Amino acid sequence: MPIPEEVTGDEIDKDVRQELQSLPKTLAEDVARNLVMVARLLDEDPEAAYGYSRVALRLASRVAAVREAAGFAAYANQKYSEALAEFRAARRMTGSVELWPVMADCERGLGRPEKALDMAGAPEVHKLDKASQVEMRLVAAGARRDMGQLDAAIVTLQSPELASNSVQPWTARLRYAYADALLAAGREQEAREWFAKAVESDRDGSTDASDRLAELDGVEFVDALDEHEEDGGAARPTAEAGHEDETQDGKED
């Protein structure tokens, strides 16, 4: 697969670069460049990222960082069985537990929420850092919802991290998941409060909490320009509160 000339491979994390030192220099550079492309494209073009990960995997399947990158690329493409196999391989190579939450989420993706819950209660969880423990809690709550256990999902998300007023990298997603679970359980007013809290902490726009909050408040977003205005006048308001557009279906959660 083509790689832009400006991608040298030097962009990768220093720990990954160190792992690649076990390879011949030219091969290490090729692998590094493909890993850079995986990282760049994972969010915006996961299919392309997957392609680059397969190239890296073909070149250096015995490097843990390559197996991990291949796992995340497969995960982003909902290839959960493949992702789980790659994550397991990376874990065998490194002995690290940091992939435990995403491995559990792969079990959810494979339709095995019970297995995900077993992993949430495993000793490995106690070895995770705070961010990964929160991620594990999110996965466990998702597994409860998969099983139709809404109340249990809500309880699972209730934690010191949720109650804390400090904003951490995981805060917005945790508050959002809690609000979404409350809404699914029919507790709309509480859900609105937590969507609002999610908006307050979502500094990088990682969730659509503001849209969900607007929906609950009856705000409807419309086109900025009215095609039927013949005089080229001012644009219509971008949001109208308090009434519905009868010509459009309601948004899905």
Side-chain angles (χ1 to χ4, degrees):
M1 297 181 67
I3 298 176
E5 291 183 5
E6 65 269 18
V7 174
T8 65
D10 292 335
E11 301 90 341
I12 62 173
D13 183 86
K14 63 179 181 179
D15 292 334
V16 177
R17 189 181 301 113
Q18 186 173 357
E19 280 193 63
L20 296 179
Q21 288 180 355
S22 62
L23 303 174
K25 185 175 186 298
T26 301
L27 179 59
E29 290 175 354
D30 288 343
V31 174
R33 295 180 74 210
N34 278 279
L35 291 180
V36 170
M37 295 305 295
V38 173
R40 285 189 176 185
L41 296 171
L42 194 60
D43 292 331
E44 63 184 56
D45 191 350
E47 187 174 350
Y50 178 77
Y52 285 106
S53 77
R54 301 306 296 177
V55 175
L57 190 61
R58 187 170 65 248
L59 295 173
S61 62
R62 296 186 179 182
V63 176
V66 171
R67 303 303 290 265
E68 183 175 329
F72 277 110
Y75 178 81
N77 285 275
Q78 300 183 7
K79 299 177 183 291
Y80 297 117
S81 181
E82 185 177 325
L84 186 57
E86 297 299 342
F87 289 143
R88 284 173 173 167
R91 183 167 181 264
R92 284 195 299 271
M93 293 175 179
T94 64
S96 172
V97 297
E98 66 179 11
L99 294 172
W100 198 251
V102 71
M103 290 170 63
D105 206 39
C106 286
E107 296 289 359
R108 285 187 60 212
L110 291 168
R112 302 193 291 248
E114 297 89 350
K115 177 62 176 176
L117 287 176
D118 287 343
M119 294 179 69
E124 284 82 354
V125 175
H126 300 294
K127 302 176 184 178
L128 297 171
D129 60 21
K130 179 61 68 176
S132 295
Q133 287 183 359
V134 172
E135 193 65 34
M136 191 72 249
R137 189 177 293 276
L138 289 166
V139 172
R144 291 293 186 188
R145 291 190 64 171
D146 293 343
M147 300 167 67
Q149 301 174 1
L150 284 174
D151 289 341
I154 290 170
V155 171
T156 298
L157 293 168
Q158 292 171 346
S159 61
E161 294 81 16
L162 180 68
S164 175
N165 290 324
S166 66
V167 176
Q168 303 295 334
W170 61 77
T171 303
R173 291 180 60 237
L174 184 59
R175 291 176 176 178
Y176 182 95
Y178 189 60
D180 193 49
L182 289 169
L183 188 60
R187 295 161 62 174
E188 185 171 315
Q189 185 55 43
E190 291 174 86
R192 190 210 171 280
E193 293 173 3
W194 281 97
F195 276 127
K197 290 181 179 181
V199 171
E200 292 174 0
S201 57
D202 194 358
R203 295 170 178 171
D204 59 359
S206 62
T207 75
D208 64 346
S210 59
D211 292 340
R212 300 293 299 277
L213 183 61
E215 290 176 5
L216 287 174
D217 286 345
V219 176
E220 177 204 351
F221 295 91
V222 297
D223 290 339
L225 298 177
D226 187 347
E227 295 179 351
H228 301 293
E229 287 186 359
E230 298 178 357
D231 59 1
R236 294 166 59 191
T238 57
E240 300 174 357
H243 63 279
E244 298 179 356
D245 184 351
E246 296 178 356
T247 65
Q248 297 183 4
D249 294 332
K251 295 182 180 178
E252 294 180 356
D253 290 344

